[in-house]
């Protein structure tokens, strides 16, 4: 029996169609990001932002998934609808998606107010794919909060600032992460810096002091003084404080058109990356790949 035709993509059809419709739209977005119906949908979503997009980043094992579960529960308890994008550092080809799978285990299939999607990172450096921003733009038109969880390896922990309104950076006690934080030049990225696993006691307090010290050396670029706090996602302590900090930052962004300005900068960065990618592809098509004789170096050929 022929299946009935799918409704055309629109925000209204996604709102009516629930998680199944959104999953289908995201699959279409991934397979045909430049198709006219996808572009029209994204334009509509861009014009109707609703959610705060919260980025959660930090090294593997720091407790991001556990914390994401806590945040989801807290937002759901407030009656808010939550979308989660878990960015998997391993490419799809290598068969990764562990992060998303772990999150999916915890997500309630019956809960229409929670949608979890895992997406592959762009490359082995962990940079976020252009498609991730598009997905976040779509989801922020449909939910009250969108959480984007990225593993702090390579590029993704800085890339998350190109997607999120508010970035939460997680470090864990005793890992020397605070020093890493300074070295890696990511000190400007977060609006909230969190020491996880605060139930570990004194070592967590020391990590918090280190973190605050590291951040005190950085000038707040946009006028928001970075909040630092310690929490235990397992015990649940400090989660309310994190929620309050994230809420406060969103309220602050809402003043003086800061939110619109931040999102505009993100849109410009996306456009730049998209044009580089698209025209690079077009250029390759137009020019063709020069043939390279065996043992010939590629450098001169690239410039011709
Ligand atoms: P992710 O890799 O950053 O997503 O980290 P996970 O959420 O998977 O947690 C990594 C490990 O840390 C797991 O064994 C968790 O049980 C543990 N963990 C997470 N949160 C806490 C916490 O608040 N306290 C303690 N002691 N362990 C935690």
């Amino acid at each position: 029996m022929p299946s009935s035709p799918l409704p055309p993509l629109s925000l209204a059809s996604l709102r009516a169609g629930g998680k199944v419709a959104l999953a289908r739209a995201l699959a279409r977005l991934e397979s045909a990001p430049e198709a006219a119906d996808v572009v029209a949908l994204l334009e509509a979503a861009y014009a109707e932002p609703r959610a705060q997009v919260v980025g959660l980043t930090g090294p593997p094992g720091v407790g991001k998934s556990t914390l994401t579960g806590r945040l989801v529960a807290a937002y759901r308890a407030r009656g808010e609808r939550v979308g989660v994008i878990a960015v998997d550092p391993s490419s799809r080809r290598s068969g990764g998606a562990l992060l998303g799978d772990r999150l999916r285990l915890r997500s309630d299939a019956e809960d229409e107010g929670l949608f979890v999607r895992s997406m592959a990172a762009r490359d082995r450096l962990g940079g976020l794919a252009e498609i991730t921003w598009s997905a976040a733009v779509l989801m922020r038109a449909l939910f009250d909060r969108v959480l984007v969880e990225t593993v702090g390896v390579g590029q993704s922990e800085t890339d998350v600032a190109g997607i999120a309104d508010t970035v939460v950076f997680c470090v864990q006690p005793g890992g020397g992460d605070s020093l890493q934080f300074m070295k890696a030049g990511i000190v400007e990225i977060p609006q909230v810096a969190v020491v996880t696993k605060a139930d570990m006691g004194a070592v967590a307090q020391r990590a918090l002091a280190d973190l605050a010290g590291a951040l005190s050396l950085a000038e707040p670029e946009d006028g928001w003084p970075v909040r630092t706090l310690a929490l235990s996602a397992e015990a649940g302590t400090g989660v309310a404080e994190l929620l309050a900090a994230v809420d406060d930052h969103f309220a602050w962004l809402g003043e003086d058109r800061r939110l619109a300005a931040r999102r505009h900068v993100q849109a410009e960065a996306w456009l730049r990356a998209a044009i580089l990618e698209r025209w690079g592809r077009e250029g390759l098509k137009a020019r063709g790949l020069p043939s390279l004789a065996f043992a010939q170096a590629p450098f001169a050929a690239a410039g011709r």
Side-chain angles (χ1 to χ4, degrees):
M1 211 173 75
S3 55
S4 55
L6 296 173
L9 285 181
S10 70
L11 286 180
S13 72
L14 290 186
R15 286 184 183 126
K19 294 204 277 194
V20 173
L22 177 55
R24 205 177 278 147
L26 288 172
R28 172 117 180 103
L29 170 62
E30 280 186 315
S31 65
E34 293 163 31
D37 60 340
V38 171
V39 171
L41 177 68
L42 290 173
E43 292 284 313
Y46 187 79
E48 282 183 47
R50 168 197 179 109
Q52 176 186 25
V53 183
V54 180
L56 211 65
T57 190
V62 73
K64 295 178 300 300
S65 298
T66 312
L67 183 55
T68 298
R70 283 278 181 191
L71 287 177
V72 164
Y75 286 133
R76 293 298 294 130
R78 298 203 310 206
E80 297 179 357
R81 303 178 69 253
V82 184
V84 179
I85 300 175
V87 179
D88 192 315
S90 51
S91 77
R92 198 159 320 158
R93 258 168 297 149
S94 73
L98 261 182
L99 187 63
D101 288 345
R102 273 192 287 128
L103 275 170
R104 245 193 310 275
L105 288 178
R106 261 195 296 276
S107 74
D108 185 348
E110 300 292 302
D111 183 357
E112 268 296 324
L114 170 61
F115 178 89
V116 179
R117 171 78 181 204
S118 112
M119 299 187 87
R122 185 180 52 208
D123 50 39
R124 67 195 162 79
L125 293 177
L128 299 188
E130 275 108 60
I131 208 87
T132 315
W133 186 72
S134 309
V137 166
L138 178 58
M139 284 167 68
R140 83 183 177 195
L142 301 170
F143 294 94
D144 300 307
R145 308 282 159 177
V146 174
L147 300 179
V148 182
E149 183 183 332
T150 67
V151 177
V153 289
Q155 209 33 56
S156 69
E157 62 199 348
T158 46
D159 279 4
V160 75
I163 290 190
D165 304 318
T166 304
V167 177
V168 178
F169 190 89
C170 302
V171 299
Q172 62 181 337
D177 290 332
S178 319
L179 286 175
Q180 206 53 40
F181 188 68
M182 288 302 291
K183 261 190 286 183
I186 47 179
V187 79
E188 282 91 19
I189 300 299
Q191 283 73 48
V192 185
V194 165
V195 174
T196 57
K197 310 186 186 180
D199 49 279
M200 289 169 72
V203 65
Q205 288 310 313
R206 214 158 35 241
L208 183 61
D210 286 350
L211 195 60
L215 283 163
S216 69
L217 302 174
E219 274 297 305
E221 222 172 77
D222 50 8
W224 167 264
V226 179
R227 296 265 187 97
T228 52
L229 57 100
L231 61 79
S232 168
E234 244 165 40
T237 51
V239 176
E241 284 83 347
L242 172 61
L243 217 61
V246 168
D247 285 346
D248 287 351
H249 184 248
F250 198 50
W252 181 84
L253 280 177
E255 297 162 11
D256 301 332
R257 293 186 52 78
R258 291 183 186 115
L259 180 62
R262 182 174 173 110
R263 288 175 168 176
H264 182 71
V265 168
Q266 294 173 343
E268 283 181 332
W270 181 87
L271 181 60
R272 185 175 190 281
I275 286 180
L276 277 174
E277 202 276 325
R278 217 161 283 183
W279 287 92
R281 210 180 334 122
E282 289 301 317
L284 187 64
K285 221 191 285 171
R287 188 173 172 278
L289 191 63
S291 66
L292 199 62
F294 185 71
Q296 180 196 348
F299 307 106
R304 272 203 305 270

